[in-house]
Amino acid sequence: FFRDEVLWALPQTDKQVEALQDLLNTTEVILWQPVVVENIKKDREVHFYVRASSINSIKAQLRKLTIQYRVSLGDVQALIEKQTMNDTVNPRSSSSYYENYHSMEEIYYWMEEIVRVHSDLLQKIYIGSSYEKRPLYVLKLSKSQENPKSAIWIDCGIHAREWISPAFCLWFIGRAVHVRERDRTMAALLERFDFYVMPVMNVDGYEYTWSHPSNRLWRKSRSSHGNSRCIGTDMNRNFDAHWCG
């Protein structure tokens, strides 16, 4: 990721929108905002990640198209290293634990510990295994195990590279168990609902982004497809849910 950049661009005419869509469709970039080129609109910011080998040519084409652009992130490598440096530094009982990203191995350990310490509120449910045979767990957060209540489902980490998502699930569980007595909103929610939280859905892909630093931005699962050289599935595209509609 040395010298890789994230660029900001602003198309200001319909012609520039169409040209930028064509450019991003035909070059190896990762679109960050919006999520698909079809959603690029006039006078709306576009953010995209560019490999070092393509930076000069893409900037040249943006200048040729007179599309306003700038470098919004010029040191991707430093940011990636910063993300992983604090994996297990802080004790798991500390609130600062939830301010860092954690590996899959660490998240498995966290689940064991938090369920053990807060067994009155949490239950770990095994729901199967991944393609690479990693266990899949859901944490049930319930103030009363006797009476069934309406349920809220939260899953995180369906896209491997989006580390902020599993981090949210960990934070939500941590906050629920630590402030339940003094936070009126959380107390009221736990009285009315059971929460089922899956901290990491795409466990194989998430582990891959940690163990293969050169593929930190891997998004899909790690499944194979017969004779195809393509690895993985974009997991939420397997649901008939009219994505980006």
Side-chain angles (χ1 to χ4, degrees):
F1 297 100
F2 289 107
R3 300 189 306 279
D4 292 1
E5 295 180 352
V6 176
L7 299 183
W8 172 100
L10 186 68
Q12 295 174 295
T13 66
D14 291 335
K15 186 176 181 180
Q16 287 182 340
V17 168
E18 184 176 347
L20 186 58
Q21 288 174 333
D22 289 342
L23 174 62
L24 300 184
N25 257 333
T26 56
T27 53
E28 191 175 344
V29 302
I30 298 174
L31 190 59
W32 283 12
Q33 178 183 312
V35 293
V36 291
V37 293
E38 290 78 12
N39 287 351
I40 294 175
K41 306 294 182 185
K42 184 171 65 175
D43 295 323
R44 292 190 184 177
E45 296 181 10
V46 181
H47 305 168
F48 52 98
Y49 171 90
V50 185
R51 296 278 190 187
S53 58
S54 304
I55 287 172
N56 290 337
S57 63
I58 287 177
K59 287 179 179 178
Q61 291 180 74
L62 290 171
R63 288 192 294 269
K64 184 177 179 180
L65 296 167
T66 64
I67 295 175
Q68 183 181 349
Y69 78 91
R70 65 171 181 261
V71 177
S72 62
L73 183 60
D75 192 354
V76 175
Q77 181 67 27
L79 181 63
I80 289 172
E81 290 173 358
K82 185 178 179 182
Q83 287 179 333
T84 58
M85 66 189 298
N86 294 320
D87 180 25
T88 56
V89 169
N90 298 299
R92 294 174 181 86
S93 59
S94 167
S95 60
S96 62
Y97 179 81
Y98 298 102
E99 296 171 8
N100 299 311
Y101 295 121
H102 299 290
S103 65
M104 197 63 241
E105 180 182 5
E106 173 63 21
I107 291 173
Y108 280 134
Y109 190 90
W110 169 85
M111 284 191 278
E112 288 285 337
E113 286 295 292
I114 201 162
V115 170
R116 181 183 65 81
V117 175
H118 301 281
S119 57
D120 59 321
L121 196 64
L122 287 170
Q123 176 186 356
K124 188 174 75 170
I125 304 170
Y126 172 77
I127 63 167
S129 61
S130 68
Y131 180 83
E132 294 181 341
K133 306 305 179 187
R134 291 183 177 86
L136 302 172
Y137 294 116
V138 171
L139 300 183
K140 181 182 179 183
L141 177 64
S142 179
K143 193 168 184 179
S144 172
Q145 301 289 349
E146 291 81 24
N147 301 317
K149 292 176 282 189
S150 296
I152 293 176
W153 168 269
I154 304 175
D155 60 70
C156 291
I158 198 166
H159 292 145
R161 67 186 179 213
E162 295 168 12
W163 289 3
I164 193 69
S165 181
F168 165 76
C169 268
L170 269 63
W171 174 88
F172 176 79
I173 291 289
R175 180 166 179 81
V177 299
H178 290 121
V179 306
R180 53 179 160 152
E181 302 300 336
R182 62 181 187 275
D183 185 301
R184 290 184 179 181
T185 300
M186 187 61 71
L189 286 169
L190 291 174
E191 288 292 339
R192 293 186 57 192
F193 299 102
D194 289 336
F195 288 85
Y196 291 85
V197 181
M198 190 170 188
V200 187
M201 180 176 283
N202 183 4
V203 293
D204 295 342
Y206 185 76
E207 167 60 27
Y208 186 71
T209 62
W210 278 81
S211 59
H212 294 73
S214 62
N215 277 314
R216 166 65 184 87
L217 299 181
W218 182 264
R219 172 187 173 98
K220 301 184 290 181
S221 68
R222 295 296 301 166
S223 55
S224 61
H225 307 282
N227 294 324
S228 174
R229 294 174 59 195
C230 297
I231 299 295
T233 296
D234 192 346
M235 291 170 69
N236 69 338
R237 299 303 191 264
N238 274 350
F239 304 97
D240 184 15
H242 306 288
W243 299 103
C244 299

